[in-house]
Amino acid sequence: MPNKTRMKKTFSFKKLANKIDDIVVKDINTLGNHINKTIQKGIDKGKDIKGNSFKKLEPITVALGGKKILNRTGKMRKTNKIPAKKGNHSFKIIAPTDYGAFHNTGFTQTNKKQWFHGSKVPQREWFGIPKSMFPGNAAYEK
């Protein structure tokens, strides 16, 4: 005669489901905040999201008062964050200026009112998910 095993339920699947949502939101916000901090540190250290050093400042930028790459006015550092919430599992980091988006891809100044019209601005890939935050890399694993 086989042994009968009795099981007693000691938890609620509904409570567990509610806690999972809180855990997911907390983890997404932790990752999003870390990515944002890494972007800020990259600006401070003069490195792109891949960890490479930025090309040095062009003489025209220095003439305009630039001393540190992507930090002439300080606006690039003021990213806006929209954290994840229950029911909306996305964390958004919004670049503070359109100019930042241009820098991310590189561009040629086409505004004829600018005295440096025609200048080429090199790509400085400062905004995005840093290489360190991809699966298999140290910051992601942490």
Side-chain angles (χ1 to χ4, degrees), residues 30-31 34-35 38 49-50 129-142:
T30 298
L31 285 170
H34 185 76
I35 289 169
T38 304
I49 59 173
K50 295 174 185 162
I129 299 175
K131 182 180 177 184
S132 64
M133 291 304 299
F134 281 94
N137 290 304
Y140 178 85
E141 297 303 325
K142 182 179 174 185

Side-chain angles (χ1 to χ4, degrees), residues 47-114:
K47 295 193 180 276
D48 65 18
I49 59 173
K50 295 174 185 162
N52 302 318
S53 294
F54 290 130
K55 183 179 169 190
K56 65 185 233 179
L57 288 173
E58 296 291 331
I60 192 116
T61 305
V62 175
L64 289 169
K67 293 181 180 138
K68 199 169 180 188
I69 296 168
L70 297 178
N71 205 19
R72 189 170 65 87
T73 65
K75 288 182 182 177
M76 297 277 222
R77 301 188 92 262
K78 297 178 181 173
T79 54
N80 296 314
K81 300 183 296 184
I82 301 173
K85 300 180 223 168
K86 271 189 167 186
N88 182 8
H89 295 169
S90 68
F91 186 100
K92 294 180 184 179
I93 301 171
I94 302 168
T97 66
D98 290 341
Y99 191 65
F102 294 139
H103 262 290
N104 219 42
T105 58
F107 67 100
T108 300
Q109 177 55 263
T110 58
N111 184 346
K112 292 184 180 183
K113 293 179 183 178
Q114 294 288 342

